Structures are given as C-alpha cells and as structure tokens.
Amino acid sequence: DSEVKLEQQAVYLVMECGEIDLAHMLQRQRGSERDGTLSESFICMYWQQMLAAVNAIHEARVIHADLKPANFLCVQGSLKLIDFGIAKQSSADTTKIARDSQVGTVNYMSPESITCEGDDSSAEGQFKLGRASDVWSLGCILYQMVYGHTPFSHLRTIYQKLQAAIPDPSKAIAFPPTRNPYMVDVLRRCLQRQPTLRPSIPELLDHPLLRPELRGPP
C-alpha cells in the first residue's frame, strides 16, 4: 500500500516485512545440523523458490546482476528477491544489457561480468550481461548451499578471483560427489564459463533435481 503526502512532499510505502535473509538463514540452518550440512529437501525447496523469483524478473527482461544469498529475503517462509540497485532492463529486441564497469559481488560474479568484451553490436569496453549471468550467480549460491562455500572461496584476494580463476577455463571448479548426482549435474550446468552453454531458468525448473518423476541417468 502507499500514500502520498503532498504537504510533506513525501511518499509513504507499506512493504512486506522480511524475517531473515538467505545468508543468515544458511548460517543458522548449518548450525542446527549435526554435521553442518544442509538437507536435500531444504536445498531443493529454496532452490526452487530462488529460480521462481529470478524467472519472474527475467520474463520482464530484467537482469539482476547481483544475485547472492543476502539478496533473497524470507517473508513468511517464502523467498523474495530484493536489492535491484544495479539491475537493468534489456530492450525488447535483445536479451542482454551492457555496462561500462564491473558490477556485482565477487564470489557470485559470472565470467562475462569480469571480462570486458566488445563486438559489432556494443561499444568497445562494455561488459555484456544476459540472463545466463544470473544463472551463474544462482549456481554459485547452490554450490554454497551444497558444499558450504562458494566455488572460489579458497582464493584469498579479489585479484586472484577476478583475474586468475573465475574467467579462466583452465581453472577447474571442483564438484565433489553428493548423495544425489542430479545436484552435481545442475551445478555443472550452471557453472559453465561459456554463457550460451548454461541452462535457462525454465530448464532448471524442469530439471530432474526438482522433478523426480523425470529422473534417469543424469
């Protein structure tokens, strides 16, 4: 709800009250588990909610560009996506946005948000981001939920992450086996450095990880 107070030159907004963000929820949940790992049911439930939230903005041609656990807020048991400070809408005839500088939170930044690329359709020196960039960030969040840390958390400096690991295909990402092989399959698909090889959000929602009736050899 909202109300405009002309005499005060102010707009008052009534918004949903979030109880906790996903970052703190993960910390609390790990602390309550005997071995510090999250259950598959917990991971899948919130993974599906994250996908649904991001799918909604992608359908509106909005690229968030800064997905991370702290930007998912729990409201009455459901995750809501917040902080659109650096989000940007693509035009009707394209699925990408262009930026003049690197943006995002390092541990969740996609390779293309770090590597400056120019082509015939964009100004030289711009960073071209599409929906696949958000998919990479979601993959990093899922990786953190599964393994307890992000893919490049072992690198201590921002320089190492930005220049020596995230954009470099020769720096392999470790995918230790999990009880459910479909979990690793989703992670591998999301964390491909070539954006065109990553799945779309609808494809992830239809993946056997979330639809057991479709399961076969991954």
Side-chain angles (χ1 to χ4, degrees):
D1 198 4
S2 63
E3 183 178 357
V4 178
K5 294 285 189 179
L6 295 178
E7 64 278 8
Q8 299 176 11
Q9 295 185 330
V11 177
Y12 292 88
L13 298 176
V14 178
M15 304 177 69
E16 293 176 305
C17 179
E19 296 93 24
I20 188 173
D21 63 47
L22 183 60
H24 287 91
M25 187 191 304
L26 295 180
Q27 292 177 359
R28 186 175 67 182
Q29 188 69 17
R30 287 189 187 281
S32 66
E33 298 289 344
R34 180 176 301 177
D35 59 358
T37 60
L38 303 178
S39 69
E40 182 180 324
S41 59
F42 178 93
I43 293 173
C44 287
M45 178 177 68
Y46 287 110
W47 173 242
Q48 187 170 35
Q49 291 186 19
M50 284 190 289
L51 291 176
V54 177
N55 190 52
I57 67 168
H58 282 187
E59 288 183 342
R61 304 194 313 277
V62 173
I63 311 300
H64 190 281
D66 192 23
L67 294 176
K68 56 186 176 182
N71 282 344
F72 286 95
L73 196 63
C74 189
V75 179
Q76 297 182 345
S78 298
L79 291 183
K80 302 293 181 75
L81 184 56
I82 63 171
D83 193 359
F84 289 80
I86 62 173
K88 193 172 182 180
Q89 187 172 36
S90 62
S91 61
D93 59 349
T94 184
T95 59
K96 291 188 176 182
I97 59 173
R99 294 193 175 279
D100 296 321
S101 61
Q102 295 170 333
V103 291
T105 304
V106 174
N107 281 330
Y108 307 93
M109 288 175 69
S110 66
E112 61 269 27
S113 67
I114 296 170
T115 305
C116 185
E117 297 179 348
D119 61 19
D120 294 337
S121 61
S122 66
E124 185 176 356
Q126 287 188 327
F127 297 83
K128 294 179 60 180
L129 303 180
R131 295 183 178 97
S133 182
D134 282 346
V135 171
W136 172 281
S137 299
L138 285 169
C140 290
I141 298 173
L142 181 61
Y143 193 102
Q144 181 178 354
M145 295 173 76
V146 173
Y147 299 119
H149 55 84
T150 52
F152 302 100
S153 62
H154 60 287
L155 300 177
R156 296 303 179 188
T157 69
I158 292 178
Y159 174 81
Q160 286 179 308
K161 294 176 183 180
L162 291 179
Q163 303 297 330
I166 297 176
D168 187 353
S170 69
K171 306 297 183 183
I173 299 173
F175 296 99
T178 63
R179 186 173 301 176
N180 186 341
Y182 292 99
M183 194 78 74
V184 175
D185 184 62
V186 168
L187 288 169
R188 288 185 180 276
R189 291 171 184 265
C190 292
L191 297 177
Q192 298 187 85
R193 287 182 169 88
Q194 175 53 252
T196 58
L197 297 179
R198 294 175 210 147
S200 65
I201 300 294
E203 288 172 339
L204 290 170
L205 285 166
D206 281 337
H207 189 276
L209 176 64
L210 298 179
R211 297 190 60 188
E213 71 275 13
L214 300 179
R215 290 182 181 178

